[in-house]
């Protein structure tokens, strides 16, 4: 045993932790890598934060109806988001990596074919009288082939697989939530005698109708991310969320639909996003594979099962935290809901860097370009830490004055003031945790991601039960802070030990 520990420590010494933060003076350098990260990360971050911001706007509108309605919708959003993540997270993460790999291989194949055509053209020039044959049939065929490479729709089997799986999972999720709404809400602490039950069921049932659109749109976003195109999902998301924001007050207050109006507005916006993305994707990819075998469903399911285990562990931690807050009463749940939405919305900015890291790393590993893989991991982690520090300062300053935007209830505001320091201070840790996810997925390190997250979840769940029972609302936030810290540490450990796909660091 001690020999194994010594061997591990010896290997760790060969892979210093500084490899993650090397060349820090170049963190903002506008070189080729920096520009590539920025072009992917910035639109991705905006697209990722658009939906939580729309949920925050929903929360702000609902907060003016009453604290009970705010708490009820908070529970429903927590349920919908966490159930969605069980399907969305594995699907999107795997799609991004697989599409990036297939696109890289396809481009390299096309480049080799183009080189072959160039050699053919050079051979033609050795033939006598070639000057009089510029318009020969052979040259015309070669030019036609070059044009086809530039304009033909790409054959990416993973794109078709993602849409099939996304559509099926969306229907399953919708049916599950609609028919199990009351049981799930009871599990979350909203009992039959609670005033939160009726509005919570209304919101959850109606919003569940949009589950197929949510799964399909995010599957298509995974495809576009694999192409390193994050602008198209951004434009579609903005249009959908603008429609949501416009419809919210109309349906809620003009038509007097209350929380049901907020749910209907959100569903309409999700279907609008799906239609836009499908229209754009059909112009870039041939979505009809030659055969069922070409879909590679087995490859998706094998790796998806690993990430499914991981996302269940993540989901259970956050859902348990929301359930424990709900059991403390509607006031605690309302305060927790607002703090959680802010926590997630700001932390998702780092997910833009995670998307950039995943797409670039998947391409680099497909090419076996380990220098670029190391440089990319270092750069996105450095940027993630800087982003987290900036968000921490920003939230500490702004939330002292902006908390009344979400509610006017004095008791809710008092509890929010206890949660806000945790939301702000944990931003650097959250940012690194999210970026490490992208780094691991880009390296297709799905098995380690799943196993490490299960261990993190076990410790975090124990902390949630112990600290919530002894410290109440504050205890829940301390436990969530521990949870994110452990996620970050597991990411550091993989690279520090130079194990798995990072074994090349020890060479």
């Amino acid at each position: 045993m001690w020999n194994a520990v010594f061997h591990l420590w010896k290997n760790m010494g060969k892979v210093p932790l500084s490899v993650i933060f090397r060349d820090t003076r170049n963190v903002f350098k506008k070189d080729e890598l920096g520009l590539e990260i920025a072009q992917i990360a910035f639109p991705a971050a905006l697209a990722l934060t658009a939906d939580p911001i729309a949920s925050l706007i929903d929360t702000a509108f609902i907060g003016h109806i009453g604290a009970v309605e705010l708490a009820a919708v908070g529970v429903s959003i927590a349920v919908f988001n966490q159930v969605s993540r069980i399907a969305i997270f594995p699907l999107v993460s795997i799609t991004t990596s697989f599409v990036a790999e297939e696109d890289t291989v396809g481009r390299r194949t096309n480049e080799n074919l183009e080189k072959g055509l160039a050699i053919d053209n050079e051979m033609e020039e050795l033939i006598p009288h070639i000057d009089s044959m510029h318009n020969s049939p052979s040259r015309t065929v070669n030019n036609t082939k070059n044009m086809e490479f530039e304009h033909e729709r790409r054959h990416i089997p993973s794109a078709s697989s993602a849409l099939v799986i996304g559509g099926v999972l969306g229907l399953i999720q919708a049916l599950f939530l609609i028919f199990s709404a009351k049981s799930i809400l009871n599990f979350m602490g909203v009992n039959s005698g609670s005033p939160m039950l009726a509005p919570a069921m209304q919101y959850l049932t109606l919003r569940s109708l949009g589950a197929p659109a949510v799964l399909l749109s995010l599957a298509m976003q995974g495809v576009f991310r694999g192409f390193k195109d994050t602008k198209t999902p951004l434009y579609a998301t903005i249009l959908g969320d603008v429609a949501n924001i416009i419809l919210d007050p109309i349906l809620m207050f003009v038509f007097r639909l209350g929380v049901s109006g907020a749910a209907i507005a959100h569903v309409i916006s999700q279907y609008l996003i799906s239609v836009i993305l499908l229209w754009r994707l059909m112009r870039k990819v041939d979505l009809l594979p030659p055969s069922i075998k070409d879909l590679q469903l087995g490859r998706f399911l094998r790796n998806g099962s690993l990430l499914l285990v991981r996302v269940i562990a993540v989901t259970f931690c956050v859902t348990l935290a929301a359930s424990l807050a709900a059991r403390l009463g509607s006031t605690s749940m309302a305060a927790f809901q607002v703090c959680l939405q802010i926590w997630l919305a700001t932390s998702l900015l780092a997910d833009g860097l995670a998307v950039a890291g995943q797409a670039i790393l998947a391409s680099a590993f497909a090419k076996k370009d380990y220098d670029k893989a190391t440089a990319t991991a270092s750069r996105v982690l450095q940027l993630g830490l800087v982003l987290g520090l900036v968000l921490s300062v920003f939230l500490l300053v702004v939330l002292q004055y902006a908390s009344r935007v979400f509610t006017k209830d004095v008791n809710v505001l008092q509890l929010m003031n206890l949660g806000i320091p945790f939301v702000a201070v944990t931003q650097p840790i959250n940012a690194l945790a999210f970026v490490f996810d992208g780094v691991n997925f880009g390296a297709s390190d799905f098995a380690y991601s799943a196993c490490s997250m299960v261990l993190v979840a076990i410790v975090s769940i124990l902390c949630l039960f112990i600290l919530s029972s002894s410290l109440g609302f504050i205890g829940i936030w301390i436990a969530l802070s521990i949870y994110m810290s452990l996620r970050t540490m597991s990411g550091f450990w993989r690279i520090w030990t130079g194990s798995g796909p990072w074994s090349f660091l020890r060479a």
Side-chain angles (χ1 to χ4, degrees):
M1 176 182 175
W2 291 111
N3 288 334
V5 172
F6 176 76
H7 181 69
L8 177 61
W9 181 260
K10 185 178 179 181
N11 285 338
M12 286 164 57
K14 295 178 182 178
V15 188
L17 190 61
S18 59
V19 73
I20 301 174
F21 297 110
R22 70 178 188 178
D23 298 327
T24 52
R25 64 182 181 278
N26 296 328
V27 62
F28 297 118
K29 187 175 181 181
K30 296 180 180 179
D31 55 4
E32 183 179 352
L33 177 59
L35 292 174
E36 186 176 13
I37 291 172
Q39 289 170 358
I40 299 172
F42 187 67
L46 292 177
L48 286 164
T49 55
D51 188 62
I53 288 172
S55 294
L56 275 174
I57 293 171
D58 282 353
T59 303
F61 280 123
I62 294 165
H64 290 282
I65 298 176
V68 172
E69 287 78 7
L70 178 61
V73 171
V75 177
S76 297
I77 290 176
V79 169
F80 184 87
N81 287 345
Q82 297 311 317
V83 172
S84 296
R85 279 178 63 84
I86 292 175
I88 288 170
F89 195 80
L91 179 60
V92 176
S93 299
I94 290 173
T95 300
T96 300
S97 293
F98 287 179
V99 169
E101 292 171 6
E102 290 176 8
D103 189 44
T104 300
V105 172
R107 287 179 182 276
R108 293 184 73 180
T109 301
N110 285 347
E111 288 173 3
N112 291 335
L113 288 173
E114 288 172 356
K115 289 178 182 177
L117 289 173
I119 293 172
D120 289 344
N121 290 338
E122 290 176 4
M123 293 297 293
E124 286 180 21
E125 291 174 2
L126 298 177
I127 300 174
H129 311 298
I130 194 65
D131 291 334
S132 62
M133 298 173 62
H134 286 302
N135 295 321
S136 67
S138 176
R139 183 172 294 277
T140 303
V141 169
N142 289 338
N143 289 337
T144 302
K145 289 182 178 179
N146 279 314
M147 293 294 290
E148 288 176 356
F149 287 139
E150 294 178 5
H151 299 292
E152 69 179 3
R153 290 188 297 176
R154 295 178 232 184
H155 177 61
I156 308 290
S158 294
S160 303
S161 302
L163 291 184
V164 171
I165 295 172
V168 172
L169 290 177
L171 290 172
I172 293 172
Q173 180 185 328
L175 294 172
F176 171 74
L177 287 175
I178 289 170
F179 291 106
S180 306
K182 187 174 181 180
S183 300
I184 295 172
L185 290 171
N186 288 339
F187 172 77
M188 292 292 292
V190 183
N191 299 318
S192 299
S194 173
M196 292 189 288
L197 183 61
M201 283 194 64
Q202 289 175 16
Y203 188 89
L204 181 58
T205 303
L206 287 171
R207 185 158 173 177
S208 298
L209 297 174
V214 173
L215 268 293
L216 280 172
S217 66
L218 287 168
M220 287 185 281
Q221 286 188 41
V223 176
F224 281 107
R225 290 176 190 175
F227 292 145
K228 301 180 183 179
D229 175 12
T230 52
K231 291 182 180 179
T232 300
L234 172 62
Y235 298 147
T237 303
I238 288 175
L239 288 173
D241 286 341
V242 167
N244 183 23
I245 293 168
I246 293 172
L247 290 171
D248 260 342
I250 296 173
L251 295 176
M252 290 173 65
F253 303 117
V254 177
F255 289 94
R256 300 181 183 277
L257 295 176
V259 296
S260 297
I264 294 170
H266 203 90
V267 169
I268 292 172
S269 71
Q270 291 301 322
Y271 278 99
L272 177 60
I273 293 170
S274 293
V275 170
I276 295 170
L277 287 175
L278 183 60
W279 170 62
R280 293 294 299 173
L281 188 60
M282 289 175 66
R283 299 178 64 181
K284 298 183 70 171
V285 178
D286 184 4
L287 295 177
L288 295 176
S291 65
I292 294 178
K293 291 182 179 179
D294 201 40
L295 285 174
Q296 302 183 35
L297 295 178
R299 187 186 181 204
F300 262 80
L301 294 176
R302 281 193 304 273
N303 291 279
S305 62
L306 291 171
L307 285 189
L308 181 60
V309 172
R310 184 185 190 281
V311 78
I312 288 174
V314 173
T315 300
F316 194 84
C317 288
V318 178
T319 305
L320 177 62
S323 176
L324 292 172
R327 293 174 192 276
L328 295 174
S330 60
T331 300
S332 295
M333 184 58 212
F336 181 81
Q337 161 64 11
V338 175
C339 289
L340 184 67
Q341 288 298 315
I342 296 170
W343 197 55
L344 294 176
T346 52
S347 298
L348 283 174
L349 287 169
D351 240 355
L353 290 171
V355 170
Q358 181 181 1
I360 298 171
L361 280 167
S363 179
F365 274 101
K367 297 176 183 177
K368 300 188 184 301
D369 187 351
Y370 297 127
D371 288 336
K372 186 170 184 179
T374 306
T376 301
S378 299
R379 188 73 65 89
V380 293
L381 287 167
Q382 293 164 22
L383 290 169
L385 180 60
V386 172
L387 175 62
L389 292 170
V390 171
L391 286 172
S392 184
V393 174
F394 175 79
L395 290 177
L396 281 173
V397 174
V398 171
L399 290 181
Q400 294 181 14
Y401 308 100
S403 55
R404 289 186 176 274
V405 172
F406 302 101
T407 182
K408 294 180 181 178
D409 189 292
V410 176
N411 295 324
V412 175
L413 287 171
Q414 287 178 346
L415 280 179
M416 281 178 60
N417 289 333
L418 295 176
I420 284 171
F422 291 99
V423 172
V425 172
T426 55
Q427 289 304 311
I429 299 170
N430 295 359
L432 285 174
F434 281 116
V435 175
F436 267 120
D437 288 346
V439 170
N440 287 330
F441 299 153
S444 295
D445 200 4
F446 301 122
Y448 175 79
S449 295
C451 294
S452 62
M453 192 64 239
V454 169
L455 294 176
V456 168
I458 291 171
V459 177
S460 301
I461 289 167
L462 291 174
C463 290
L464 277 167
F465 278 119
I466 294 170
L467 294 174
S468 65
S469 62
S470 58
L471 299 175
F473 185 81
I474 293 178
I476 294 173
W477 281 105
I478 293 174
L480 286 176
S481 301
I482 293 171
Y483 158 68
M484 293 305 296
S485 299
L486 291 174
R487 283 182 63 177
T488 303
M489 289 171 61
S490 68
F492 272 115
W493 179 263
R494 189 59 158 173
I495 294 180
W496 189 21
T497 56
S499 53
W502 300 98
S503 58
F504 67 87
L505 291 172
R506 290 188 279 108

